[in-house]
Amino acid sequence: GGGWWCGGGCVAPPGGGVGARVGNCVFCGGGRGAAPRRFFVKGGGGGPPRWSSPAGVGSSAALSPDGRHVAAMGPDGKGHLYPVDGGALPTFRGLAPGDTLVGWSRYSAALYIAEETLPVKIFRLSLVSGAKTLLWQIEPGDRAGVSRLGMIRVTPDGRFCFFSYRRTLSHLFLADGLR
């Protein structure tokens, strides 16, 4: 029961968006009703979505530069490259619970991941060896009122990253001598 939902951390190419367009299809994460999250492809010709992952995949995902795979943590706790068009399901090492996928390297040899603590550590994760290389530690210049960073992205060449954050500030007033 329930309608289809698509959102809340959907797969997006660098540059954002709710879902990633792959040819004449849209690739997204979501589900139906209260079902666990899955990735699906919705064709341009109508009809129901076609599932391309098992139920229970992680909410952090990144579409490969060629649009053929989505990297994400599977329900088994391992990193998987989910094929958009179906087929073999390669795994990769080095992705840990709590890691956020923030981009792919230009030639799909590595992923960029972030450990979301302040300061945020951004790593290059080799898909061949599973080795993590620390690239940056980032945080706002003034951490007051910042509990975590929002969207983080790394350019495919690994030279630049950008991020957003939300700041919540308040004032405390002290009144003395009130009756």
Side-chain angles (χ1 to χ4, degrees):
W4 292 96
W5 55 272
C6 177
C10 273
V11 174
V18 173
R21 186 161 294 281
V22 179
N24 66 346
C25 300
V26 173
F27 188 85
C28 195
R32 183 175 182 136
R37 176 186 180 81
R38 295 175 79 171
F39 297 127
F40 63 89
V41 178
K42 178 84 167 100
R50 176 174 44 85
W51 297 116
S52 64
S53 77
V57 295
S59 61
S60 173
L63 182 66
S64 65
D66 63 9
R68 293 177 33 205
H69 292 91
V70 171
M73 184 170 291
D76 59 1
K78 295 178 182 175
H80 291 280
L81 299 177
Y82 292 99
V84 172
D85 291 329
L89 182 62
T91 60
F92 61 92
R93 295 173 294 170
L95 191 62
D99 284 350
T100 300
L101 292 149
V102 296
W104 279 79
S105 67
R106 177 175 287 146
Y107 302 109
S108 302
L111 290 165
Y112 299 112
I113 61 171
E115 290 179 356
E116 293 200 24
T117 56
L118 282 176
V120 172
K121 294 178 181 174
I122 299 179
F123 296 88
R124 182 181 190 278
L125 173 65
S126 167
L127 291 175
V128 174
S129 68
K132 285 183 180 179
T133 304
L134 180 64
L135 299 176
W136 301 288
Q137 291 189 72
I138 59 173
E139 64 184 331
D142 177 2
R143 287 177 50 177
V146 177
S147 58
R148 67 182 295 268
L149 298 188
M151 182 180 67
I152 302 169
R153 292 288 182 261
V154 176
T155 59
D157 62 7
R159 294 180 55 212
F160 303 98
C161 73
F162 62 93
F163 63 95
S164 64
Y165 60 91
R166 181 172 295 168
R167 181 184 306 274
T168 305
L169 298 175
S170 59
H171 298 279
L172 175 64
F173 297 96
L174 181 61
D176 198 17
L178 294 177
R179 294 178 204 214

